[in-house]
Amino acid sequence: MAVRIDPEALLELVQQKQISAIQAIEDKAIKSATEKRFAAIDDAVRSATTKWIEEFGSMSAPGAGAALGSMIKEALGSGSKALSGLEASAISALSEAASAAVTTATEQGAAFVEGASGKAAAANVAAPAVDLAEERAAMKTAVSEGLSEAKAILKLPIIERLGLRGLLSGLMRVRNAVSRVQATITTSVNANVTKTMKATAVANKAPQEVWVSERDACTRCLKYAGQVVDKGEDWPGGQSWDPNQVDKNADGVRPPLHPHCRCRPVPWNPAWARPGEVSLPQAISREAQRSVARGFSLPSESNASRVRALKELLSGNPNLPKTVLERARRDLKNGEFARGRSVPTANP
């Protein structure tokens, strides 16, 4: 029997529990496809650095001859080995992950609809077929370009001129290729979740979809959090809490918004909201504003961007607790987040 749950519990379900379950699927595929390859490249970098210092004792090695040629050959061999078979192994891991993501998202969609509506979810959802043709092509390109870029750098005249920096740069081109494959896995898994949630909306005759982001999402994704569009429609493109990232001419978007994005749309029916009660879209939007106010974000996002986002938020007089706003204003004045930017394990 379906049981309706309140908006706060529903938000926790979809924003944390369900996203975490998909992330576990994604992480398993990434580990299977790339972990050993990243480790091999890191070993090659350490080995190259050690041998270079032992041999030359400085960053440069003009006229080094045979010793330098041997190092270049070893770096090329390490790079080729790290990328050998990557496309096939990554597609195999992704195929399993994407299928698991669709199955899990179908179950998650049903649980969400029942929690939101208090009624039984549709039994038949037209879950999307997994087609990885684009992902395979992207991975093939990443491997090919990574190896070509490494070979272009790892040549004797270039390394004689650039020294150890050039040798390591060649290896980093290989590492970047593996990173691109990793990003393709992440994006594909979450794109299949998005397609499944769209099918869930159709099956349950939900007229709308609402954007859900992680608590430490980027300033762009947090701007979309809680926004509602008609079922199957795009959200207006180019939005961000950081004014420097706004693009008023951008095309419409749907999640995932960028590589490593775990945003998702979920079905929404205004009839599921109860009079006098905060609706789910409102709860999502409020939580996103709180994340901006606290600076919750990954280290990859610049502090400057988060501060600009905070300034933009406060200029609009957000409906947040007094203590949160007071702390946010102090942080804005100081240009940094005094409590750090990591999401706490418990709400302070």
Side-chain angles (χ1 to χ4, degrees), residues 208-225:
Q208 298 176 330
E209 295 176 277
V210 57
W211 188 299
V212 181
S213 69
E214 294 181 280
R215 293 182 70 193
D216 59 357
C218 69
T219 57
R220 294 168 62 203
C221 291
L222 287 174
K223 186 66 174 181
Y224 286 98

Side-chain angles (χ1 to χ4, degrees), residues 74-251:
E74 183 175 344
L76 282 169
S78 296
S80 296
K81 185 176 181 181
L83 295 181
S84 178
L86 174 57
E87 175 195 337
S89 63
I91 282 293
S92 176
L94 176 55
S95 178
E96 180 179 344
S99 296
V102 168
T103 299
T104 301
T106 302
E107 296 169 353
Q108 290 179 345
F112 171 81
V113 168
E114 292 182 357
S117 67
K119 299 178 181 179
N124 297 316
V125 175
V130 175
D131 181 358
L132 303 179
E134 290 186 7
E135 289 86 341
R136 184 184 294 276
M139 291 177 181
K140 183 176 182 179
T141 298
V143 170
S144 175
E145 290 181 351
L147 195 55
S148 295
E149 290 171 4
K151 289 179 178 179
I153 293 174
L154 294 172
K155 295 181 177 179
L156 188 60
I158 295 177
I159 304 306
E160 284 184 331
R161 176 167 54 87
L162 297 179
L164 177 58
R165 179 167 55 91
L167 191 67
L168 299 184
S169 179
L171 288 170
M172 292 312 296
R173 295 301 192 279
V174 176
R175 200 178 204 285
N176 290 345
V178 182
S179 294
R180 287 171 62 182
V181 169
Q182 176 181 321
T184 299
I185 292 173
T186 298
T187 300
S188 179
V189 167
N190 288 283
N192 277 284
V193 170
T194 292
K195 293 174 185 176
T196 304
M197 287 299 176
K198 180 180 177 181
T200 299
V202 172
N204 287 279
K205 299 180 180 179
Q208 298 176 330
E209 295 176 277
V210 57
W211 188 299
V212 181
S213 69
E214 294 181 280
R215 293 182 70 193
D216 59 357
C218 69
T219 57
R220 294 168 62 203
C221 291
L222 287 174
K223 186 66 174 181
Y224 286 98
Q227 291 187 22
V228 175
V229 297
D230 290 340
K231 175 180 59 186
E233 295 295 318
D234 290 345
W235 278 261
Q239 300 185 60
S240 178
W241 278 111
D242 180 355
N244 288 8
Q245 297 177 4
V246 173
D247 181 0
K248 295 181 179 180
N249 298 317
D251 294 334

Side-chain angles (χ1 to χ4, degrees), residues 16-18 77 92 101 108 122 155 166 171 231 258 263 279 289 294 334 336 348:
Q16 298 180 47
K17 295 179 180 179
Q18 292 191 347
S92 176
Q108 290 179 345
K155 295 181 177 179
L171 288 170
K231 175 180 59 186
H258 54 77
C263 291
S279 69
Q289 290 184 36
R294 286 296 312 275
N334 295 328
E336 60 181 3

Side-chain angles (χ1 to χ4, degrees), residues 6-21:
D6 65 76
E8 294 298 332
L10 195 61
L11 176 60
E12 181 182 3
L13 172 68
V14 69
Q15 186 179 57
Q16 298 180 47
K17 295 179 180 179
Q18 292 191 347
I19 288 179
S20 294

